[in-house]
Amino acid sequence: MDEKAAQLQRDPVRSAPAVVVMGVAGCGKSAVGEALAAALGAIFVEGDRLHPPENVARMASGEPLTDALREGWLDAIGRRIAGSVGDGQGVVAACSALKRSYRERLRGFCQDIVFLYLEIDPATAKQRVGSRQGHFMPASLVDSQFATLEAPAADENAVTLDATRPIADIVADAVSLFDANS
């Protein structure tokens, strides 16, 4: 467990948690996010479902998104997070949040977001993306995700966990960081 995780353990979230499970395609954002939301009694927001059809078509054709194309999508996720927190409901969102500027944009909707960064190596990410069925993101875009990725810095409210571990272990570590009963 890294220093930030230790800090969060000492000072657990005291209100409805707002967590963004982040990382490149294939790191397990959706699977971990769904399981974490269930464990925390929170709402799960699948960020991929909030992409406009144009973004989905671009990615499906192997074209990476630009910062400008991500803005509306990030805002949609940010609004969903803020709405849930405003209603007193915890929320876990799956969103790549690859750049610091994207995370700052999301924080503009909810300052207290904790980012759970699922760190993975390129080979494993490509293998996972290449083997999944029914998703618009092709394995050919994994390299562009790593090229865009800015891992969370020490001054961000983020925790890094190894995405190659079993989902249940990742979720157990994440749950230990939050006081779900407060």
Side-chain angles (χ1 to χ4, degrees):
M1 198 175 301
D2 65 15
E3 183 178 322
K4 187 64 179 180
Q7 177 186 347
L8 287 172
Q9 260 187 332
R10 290 189 301 271
D11 185 22
V13 175
R14 295 287 176 207
S15 60
V19 180
V20 172
V21 181
M22 62 159 289
V24 299
C27 70
K29 294 180 295 290
S30 297
V32 169
E34 258 188 292
L36 181 58
L40 295 174
I43 293 170
F44 176 65
V45 174
E46 175 53 75
D48 282 345
R49 292 196 185 124
L50 298 177
H51 273 295
E54 301 80 27
N55 284 6
V56 172
R58 284 177 191 272
M59 287 183 283
S61 70
E63 184 181 336
L65 297 179
T66 63
D67 289 353
L69 290 171
R70 286 185 173 100
E71 288 177 355
W73 170 65
L74 291 166
D75 290 350
I77 294 168
R79 284 190 295 273
R80 292 284 301 273
I81 292 169
S84 293
V85 170
D87 289 341
Q89 178 66 51
V91 60
V92 176
C95 172
S96 56
L98 296 173
K99 289 185 176 182
R100 183 184 188 112
S101 63
Y102 303 166
R103 295 186 293 275
E104 289 173 356
R105 190 174 191 102
L106 291 170
R107 281 191 198 99
F109 291 90
C110 179
Q111 191 62 39
D112 296 328
I113 292 174
V114 175
F115 289 91
L116 180 61
Y117 171 43
L118 300 180
E119 189 173 44
I120 193 167
D121 62 276
T124 303
K126 284 180 193 175
Q127 183 277 324
R128 286 181 178 182
V129 172
S131 66
R132 64 185 179 189
Q133 302 293 315
H135 195 280
F136 59 82
M137 174 72 81
S140 62
L141 286 180
V142 172
D143 286 336
S144 73
Q145 293 240 308
F146 276 97
T148 301
L149 178 64
E150 297 170 1
D155 66 333
E156 293 186 73
N157 195 13
V159 176
T160 301
L161 294 176
D162 180 354
T164 63
R165 295 174 50 229
I167 292 169
D169 293 350
I170 296 169
V171 171
D173 284 353
V175 167
S176 74
L177 302 175
F178 305 105
D179 183 5
N181 296 316
S182 62

